[in-house]
Amino acid sequence: MKLSTKGRYGLRAIIDLALNSENGNAVCIQSISERQNISESYLEQLVRKLRTEGLVKSVRGAGGGYELARPAEKISVGDVLRALEGSIEAVSCGDDEGCCDQADLCVTRLVWDRVNKAIEGAVDTVTIAQLVEESRKKQCMGKVDTKSCAN
Amino acid sequence: MKLSTKGRYGLRAIIDLALNSENGNAVCIQSISERQNISESYLEQLVRKLRTEGLVKSVRGAGGGYELARPAEKISVGDVLRALEGSIEAVSCGDDEGCCDQADLCVTRLVWDRVNKAIEGAVDTVTIAQLVEESRKKQCMGKVDTKSCAN
DNA sequence: TTAAACTTGACAAAAATAGTAGGATATGAT
DNA sequence: ATCATATCCTACTATTTTTGTCAAGTTTAA
Ligand code: FES
Ligand code: FES
């Protein structure tokens, strides 16, 4: 029941992206890579996927990079994870492909449905914007020499 | 974010076990294997683990098998999954081993905590007894030639 | 023109999963 | 006794997934 690095790195990446692109400029892979300490090539794959799924958009050429495709308030953690992992279901007792012989009598599906719904509820109710704000608060507490920190 | 066959098969196995051992007799691996259509050898591994984790107990020798170590009401789905999977956490941003550089500033932990709690809530509030009962209901509706079906 | 940056596809090492095989041990039945 | 039935245990292997890497492009601001 583990979330792979795709989802873990990807979420960190898009938060980093949101955090560093608020003045309207694009953020390049390299800078994310350095701040988050994730391989540049690997990160590229992940961000590419976020782009094809419509969560971020790219600005090509020199001085380019990536920025959010829509406001951070409109992007949930669930959006990000689904984009990267394909599906966030713990078990997809699926429909056509019966995972066990008597799928119609199988009571474990009741459990998997509960679990899937619980997970979705947890990730769909948190937005990138909220995490960005939390991140700011922590930074504020972390850095003692920050002048602009109004308490 | 997939649950492995260990958890999926294992839950079906213990439900089968509970369902077929209510008259007090032990249930052997072979019979579970046939009913659930899971490899005997593989199933053995799983049930053995359930035993070492104290969820079922074994009766050795001819005519032996397995039975629940305690009443089905006292065994939750979470107990079973944890026994088989080790941990059901989606992400274990753990403690000593910092999964990212600035673990103390990392806001993704907030998300993973939410997800983990959601999962635990989902699996810890369902007991094997409840599933057994559901299973009975379904069987009852499924089999038209069952004499003993009141209603 | 040049260098910064994205774009793409193929590839590969490493880890986890899923399942097998074969024997040892215990015990009820004959 | 001994045999059949069943758990017990370890080790091994094949497959798949994960986790990346690499190299050769393309686009565009400066
Ligand atoms: S239908 Fe999916 S495990 Fe039974
Ligand atoms: S502390 Fe686990 S991802 Fe940051």
Side-chain angles (χ1 to χ4, degrees), chain A residues 12, chain B residues 93 99-100 103 106 108-109 112:
Chain A
R12 275 165 57 196
Chain B
C93 259
C99 29
C100 70
C106 184
T108 65
R109 303 187 66 157
W112 310 142

Side-chain angles (χ1 to χ4, degrees), chain A residues 57-76:
Chain A
K57 58 188 171 189
S58 64
V59 180
R60 300 188 63 161
Y66 294 91
E67 51 195 34
L68 297 184
R70 53 179 193 265
E73 295 81 28
K74 294 284 181 60
I75 301 177
S76 74

Side-chain angles (χ1 to χ4, degrees), chain B residues 17 20-21 24-32 35 47-48 51 56-69:
Chain B
L17 188 54
N20 291 94
S21 71
N25 58 341
V27 178
C28 71
I29 291 286
Q30 198 188 21
S31 71
I32 301 179
R35 279 189 299 268
V47 178
R48 192 161 74 228
R51 186 183 65 80
V56 305
K57 57 187 172 191
S58 64
V59 180
R60 299 190 64 165
Y66 294 91
E67 51 196 36
L68 297 183

Side-chain angles (χ1 to χ4, degrees), chain A residues 91-94 97-109 112, chain B residues 8-9 12 36:
Chain A
V91 180
S92 53
C93 260
E97 33 129 7
C99 28
C100 70
D101 298 348
Q102 308 117 315
D104 50 335
L105 294 179
C106 184
V107 291
T108 64
R109 303 188 67 157
W112 310 143
Chain B
R8 299 206 308 275
Y9 291 179
R12 276 165 56 199
Q36 298 295 327

Side-chain angles (χ1 to χ4, degrees), chain B residues 102-116:
Chain B
Q102 308 117 314
D104 50 334
L105 293 179
C106 184
V107 291
T108 65
R109 303 187 66 157
L110 302 175
V111 176
W112 310 142
D113 281 349
R114 271 175 73 95
V115 173
N116 291 338

Side-chain angles (χ1 to χ4, degrees), chain B residues 10 14 46-56 80 83-84:
Chain B
I14 202 170
L46 306 181
V47 178
R48 192 161 74 228
K49 196 128 193 200
L50 291 177
R51 186 183 65 80
T52 61
E53 298 291 328
L55 297 181
V56 305
V80 177
L84 294 169

Side-chain angles (χ1 to χ4, degrees), chain A residues 27-29 44 48 51 58 60-62 64-66:
Chain A
V27 178
C28 70
I29 291 285
E44 204 169 77
R48 186 160 84 221
R51 188 183 65 79
S58 64
R60 300 188 63 161
Y66 294 91

